[in-house]
Amino acid sequence: INVIETEKEYKVEVAAPGMKKEDFQIHINEDNDLVISMEKKVENEDKENKKYLRREFSYTKFQQSLYLPDNVDKEKITANVANGVLTIELPKYSQEEKAKINRVIEIH
């Protein structure tokens, strides 16, 4: 897993050769963590009547939790899978958006 920070975003990359987008689940839990889960079960099936000397089952499961900094705009998080890599983009709030979030409340 790689975590990269730029001025405008954080980017998380997870190596996932042979995986499709259906194999992943990404969510934010109650502790404000980004949770990435991957699960894939592959059975090599042969429909002909054969005596197996060896038959392989492949099962892959992965889960990683990452704490999200306060400056991540959770509404704009995106993810995609391409060339065996899951990429999650976590945009940071702009200065204007940050000012709105951290505004001072006037007391009347």
Side-chain angles (χ1 to χ4, degrees):
I1 188 166
N2 296 328
V3 180
I4 303 156
E5 181 180 10
T6 67
E7 188 176 310
K8 295 185 178 187
E9 71 178 355
Y10 299 96
K11 188 180 288 190
V12 177
E13 299 172 330
V14 179
M19 299 296 185
K20 297 180 257 173
K21 69 179 185 177
E22 296 83 19
D23 300 326
F24 292 96
Q25 183 183 48
I26 304 168
H27 69 277
I28 299 171
N29 69 11
E30 63 279 353
D31 294 326
N32 201 40
D33 295 330
L34 179 73
V35 180
I36 306 162
S37 302
M38 171 180 74
E39 186 170 7
K40 184 166 185 144
K41 182 178 180 183
V42 177
E43 296 182 24
N44 296 331
E45 293 185 24
D46 193 342
K47 302 206 186 266
E48 297 178 25
N49 289 333
K50 292 184 180 180
K51 179 180 175 185
Y52 288 96
L53 299 177
R54 179 177 176 173
R55 185 173 178 174
E56 295 195 18
F57 296 90
S58 176
Y59 181 74
T60 304
K61 188 173 184 176
F62 167 87
Q63 182 168 318
Q64 179 75 46
S65 296
L66 301 169
Y67 173 76
L68 287 179
D70 291 336
N71 64 343
V72 170
D73 187 346
K74 295 173 193 71
E75 300 299 319
K76 295 182 181 174
I77 295 173
T78 60
N80 68 9
V81 177
N83 301 319
V85 177
L86 169 68
T87 303
I88 305 167
E89 295 180 351
L90 306 145
K92 294 179 181 179
Y93 285 113
S94 67
Q95 292 300 329
E96 297 80 32
E97 292 169 323
K98 209 185 271 189
K100 289 178 188 175
I101 292 169
N102 295 324
R103 69 185 179 92
V104 175
I105 307 298
E106 185 179 331
I107 301 171
H108 298 278

